[in-house]
């Protein structure tokens, strides 16, 4: 694949990573906001229950204190107003919230802490109060003296007498309870319900309970017909703002972190080692044929990488990565392992003496353990079956100072050497005389220029002439047309390789290729 393709693949990698991170961020945002709102919702519900509980406890306390103050006055209901009215007045003055204390005898109020002696049926003051009960609480829209200010009527019956007892009117205001609720901007109002009547916060009017809007939460005071109700919403706008803002902040962080992790994970070096471990590499073998007969002569092992996400990655891309990441040695050793494994089956069909070419990186040649690696590989291969060729690009020779020594050692070990991609590097001709090559592989770029009146044809002519003089075998790679093959044969190229004869094949396909060739003769 050309470099542009590799770069494109790289760009699409990056785009995919960016998309994945963005999707992770969005999913996290949605989940985070939902969970946070749910938790806040539960917290607010609990807080509202607490608020109702505190308010009702407070009211209960007020009522209990009042009852304690009023209960000793029961004895006065047997006495005349004139004898107790002063006492009544001072009691009312010293008790909190009391508007008036009335003494009731036989259903009639006859003495008031506010106005002294008078006579009025208690029902006229508080029509809903049940005087037959020991204790009764009602909500009044007003009292005779303050007809527009709501009050609570507390009736405490004298246990020994019918419809006699103390009736106290008490100032009622929801302000203290609203103060408690002021920490909760989501609570817009409260109501106190007593029997069928209700007092709504913010108003000074007593309304019928059925005229109240639906409440958010309510709590009944135990042992009373009193109920506190809350109005508003469970969540405040600030709860939504907070959830959205923290969600946004965290999801940005999560996005950035996943981008970083994905970037690190896709680190090609890591991926190559992982690919080796997970068995993502395999080898394909491309046949080489003799010219002009077209008889099978050898095979070139070409490494393939099937990435679990990216699919096929061309060797042009991953070999240079492996070299850049210092991983070409483990990768070539993996190639050795794969070839040795395939060779067990291949040697059953492929004739003895078949040339088996492997591409080696110059970095590996320079490695101190190179010779051990090669010896170990040869020991793994079927004995005396293949004839080995190492293909080395001419560019590498510029860098490798000990090339001559290594080449001599390879020859001692019966490994032939091919100069690969000939004509694409610099000062190519110098190397031909300097080193003892066995094969010269003409780069497919040259072969493809055949018949296209470019300047490369005369260069190719000169190279082939030199090769003949040096007694080198020549392999033309990338032969795709009969015309190219005919042109090369005419100029004395000894071997051909290219799609015209066969593409690189998996071992099973290679075996059928050899069977077919054997049948053809
Ligand atoms: P190369 O050594 O020049 O290998 C020949 C390349 O030409 C192969 O590409 C092969 O598939 C392709 N080819 C063969 N016949 C034709 C044809 O008729 N037309 C066209 N257009 N192409 C043809 P591939 O397999 O993609 O390998 C590319 C390069 O990757 C190789 O070039 C080689 O330099 C490197 N490579 C492949 N396998 C290995 C390996 O195991 N080790 C090392 N170090 N390098 C490898
Ligand atoms: Ca090659
Ligand atoms: Ca080539």
């Amino acid at each position: 694949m050309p470099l542009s393709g590799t770069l494109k693949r790289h760009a699409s990698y990056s785009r995919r990573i960016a998309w994945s991170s963005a999707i992770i961020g969005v999913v996290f945002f949605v989940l985070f906001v939902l969970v946070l709102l749910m938790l806040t919702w539960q917290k607010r519900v609990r807080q509202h229950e607490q608020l109702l509980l505190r308010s009702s406890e407070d009211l209960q306390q007020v009522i209990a204190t009042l009852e304690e103050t009023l209960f000793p006055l029961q004895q006065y209901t047997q006495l005349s107003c004139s004898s107790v009215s002063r006492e009544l007045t001072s009691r009312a003055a010293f008790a909190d919230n009391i508007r008036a204390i009335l003494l009731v005898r036989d259903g009639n109020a006859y003495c008031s802490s506010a106005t002294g002696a008078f006579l009025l049926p208690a029902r006229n003051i508080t029509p809903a109060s049940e005087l037959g009960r020991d204790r009764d609480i009602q909500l009044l829209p007003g009292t005779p003296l303050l007809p527009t200010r709501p009050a609570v009527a507390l009736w405490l019956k004298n246990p020994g007498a019918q419809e006699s007892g103390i009736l106290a009117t008490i100032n009622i205001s929801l302000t203290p309870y609203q103060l408690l609720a002021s920490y909760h901007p989501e609570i817009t109002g409260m109501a106190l319900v007593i029997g069928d009547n209700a007092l709504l916060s913010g108003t000074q009017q007593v309304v019928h309970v059925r005229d109240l809007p639906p409440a958010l939460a309510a709590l009944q005071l135990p042992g009373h017909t009193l109920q506190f109700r809350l109005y508003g919403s469970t969540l405040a706008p600030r709860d939504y703002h907070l959830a959205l803002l923290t969600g946004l902040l965290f999801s940005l962080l999560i996005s950035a972190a996943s981008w970083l992790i994905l970037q690190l994970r896709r680190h090609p070096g890591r991926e190559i080692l992982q690919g080796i471990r997970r068995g993502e590499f395999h080898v394909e073998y491309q046949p080489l044929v003799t010219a002009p007969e077209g008889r099978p002569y050898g095979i070139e092992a070409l490494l393939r990488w099937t990435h679990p996400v990216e699919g096929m990655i061309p060797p042009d891309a991953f070999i240079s990565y492996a070299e850049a990441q210092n991983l070409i040695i483990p990768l070539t050793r993996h190639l050795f392992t794969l070839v040795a494994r395939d060779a067990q089956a291949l040697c059953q069909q492929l004739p003895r003496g078949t040339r088996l070419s492997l591409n080696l990186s110059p970095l590996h040649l320079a490695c101190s353990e190179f010779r051990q690696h090669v010896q170990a590989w040869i020991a793994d291969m079927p004995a005396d079956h293949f004839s080995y060729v190492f293909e080395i690009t001419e560019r590498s020779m510029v860098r490798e100072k000990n090339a001559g020594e290594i080449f001599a050692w390879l020859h001692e070990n019966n490994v032939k050497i091919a100069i690969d991609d000939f004509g694409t590097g610099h000062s190519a001709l110098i190397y031909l005389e300097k080193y003892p090559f066995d094969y010269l592989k003409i780069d497919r770029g040259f072969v493809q220029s055949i018949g296209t009146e470019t300047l490369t044809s005369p260069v190719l002519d000169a190279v082939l002439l030199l090769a003949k003089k040096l007694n080198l075998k020549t392999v033309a790679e990338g032969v795709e047309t009969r015309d190219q093959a005919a042109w090369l044969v005419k100029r004395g190229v000894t071997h051909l390789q290219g799609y015209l004869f066969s593409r690189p094949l998996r071992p099973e396909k290679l075996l059928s290729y050899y069977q077919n060739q054997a049948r053809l003769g």
Side-chain angles (χ1 to χ4, degrees), residues 300 302 359 391 420-421 441 477 497:
E300 179 181 358
L302 294 160
N359 294 282
E391 299 190 3
D420 206 356
D421 291 349
K441 290 196 82 168
E477 62 175 31
Q497 178 185 3

Side-chain angles (χ1 to χ4, degrees), residues 25 28-29 52 85 109 119 128 142 154 174 191 214 234 337 350 382 390 454 486 494:
F28 177 84
F29 176 79
L52 283 171
S85 78
L119 195 67
L154 177 64
L174 291 180
T234 308
T337 310
L350 273 57
F390 282 175
T454 54
T494 58

Side-chain angles (χ1 to χ4, degrees), residues 172-182 190 199 201-204:
I172 181 79
S173 160
L174 291 180
T175 310
Y177 310 112
Q178 259 188 304
L179 224 60
L180 279 178
S182 64
M190 292 177 104
L199 178 65
S201 63
T203 69
Q204 282 287 353

Side-chain angles (χ1 to χ4, degrees), residues 33 65 100 140 156 248 276 286 294 324 398 404 407 412 487 494 497:
V33 169
T65 313
L140 309 177
L156 296 174
L248 196 69
I276 292 176
Q286 187 175 33
V398 186
F407 290 164
E412 278 165 31
W487 192 96
T494 58
Q497 178 185 3

